[in-house]
Amino acid sequence: MDLKPAAVVTGAGRGIGRAVAVKLSAEGYRVALTARGEDELRATAALCAGETLVLPADITSSEAIDRLFTAVEDAWGGAGVLVANAGAGESAPLVKTTDEHWARMLEVNLTAPFRCVRRVVPGMLDRGYGRIVVIASVAAKRGEPYITAYAASKHGVLGVVRSAAAEFAGTGVTVNAVCPGYVATPMTDQTVAAIADRTGRTPAQARAALAAKQPNGRLVTVDEVAGAVWLCVTNAALNGQGINVDGGGVQS
């Protein structure tokens, strides 16, 4: 039986990345898992149905990215699927957004996915097949108060997706983004804690406020995001898209 292409999932230690890795593994993919925390990656690997590689790395390091994809090439001949999920979120009023805050958001959410795409795509082009999916955000489609740097980074990575999709159209390589709203993840837990600290609301009130931002009145689940990623992996006619998974908040 032919093996399915190998997949690389960044930010695979928890949340969306873990759900995507488990989904791909359940569908028969060999999955390389990367994030900073080895313990979380091994917990994800234990949930996967098939073969995995646990490759701890700092995704903001270009050298670490090269080592990551070299390891996948050595083990499996390269990656046919990349899910660039690793990301971070911080909020601040625009006038209090420091240069350091700005740089962190762009480095993690924009530069790191770009570097991963740049590193993985030559092998995909050589094989005439590739599926690249970047986990962006509905903040790639609209602005909100207090997230200038985060929204800028997500708008930017959607531009990378669209340009790469146009460049590689017809090669067998597709490039798409999945744009979730507020998802029930550890990152959202941090947002809830920050809102509670800043506003004096209880964590339950802060979480309810985030859920209310979405027309269906609840947080998105990680499995719903993973389902959208799977659609991008399996449907070759999807290319250059930013697929919203937000309960209907952004209609496009």
Side-chain angles (χ1 to χ4, degrees), residues 178-244:
V178 172
C179 300
Y182 287 100
V183 185
T185 63
M187 192 167 112
T188 297
D189 292 341
Q190 295 171 4
T191 301
V192 166
I195 292 172
D197 182 63
R198 189 171 62 240
T199 66
R201 300 179 189 177
T202 67
Q205 289 170 331
R207 189 174 299 275
L210 296 183
K213 287 178 175 286
Q214 298 170 148
N216 61 355
R218 65 170 177 83
L219 299 180
V220 177
T221 71
V222 292
D223 289 336
E224 288 168 333
V225 181
V229 171
W230 180 240
L231 180 64
C232 295
V233 170
T234 55
N235 192 329
L238 285 177
N239 196 28
Q241 302 305 307
I243 299 174
N244 304 327

Side-chain angles (χ1 to χ4, degrees), residues 81-167:
V81 174
L82 165 65
V83 182
N85 164 73
E90 296 180 31
S91 62
L94 188 148
V95 297
K96 294 184 178 180
T97 298
T98 64
D99 288 352
E100 292 76 18
H101 173 173
W102 177 266
R104 279 194 302 273
M105 291 298 93
L106 268 62
E107 188 71 16
V108 176
N109 297 331
L110 175 55
T111 303
F114 162 74
R115 287 172 172 162
C116 288
V117 173
R118 183 178 62 186
R119 178 60 178 80
V120 78
V121 83
M124 292 178 170
L125 293 173
D126 286 345
R127 291 185 294 273
Y129 175 86
R131 298 288 180 265
I132 297 171
V133 187
V134 176
I135 306 301
S137 167
V138 291
K141 304 285 190 73
R142 69 184 183 197
E144 288 192 15
Y146 310 121
I147 60 167
T148 301
Y150 178 78
S153 68
K154 294 297 186 178
H155 274 70
V157 84
L158 187 55
V160 171
V161 165
R162 288 169 168 165
S163 294
E167 183 171 338

Side-chain angles (χ1 to χ4, degrees), residues 24-39:
L24 291 171
S25 182
E27 296 292 344
Y29 283 71
R30 298 164 292 167
V31 186
L33 311 168
T34 190
R36 294 189 184 191
E38 183 172 354
D39 290 346

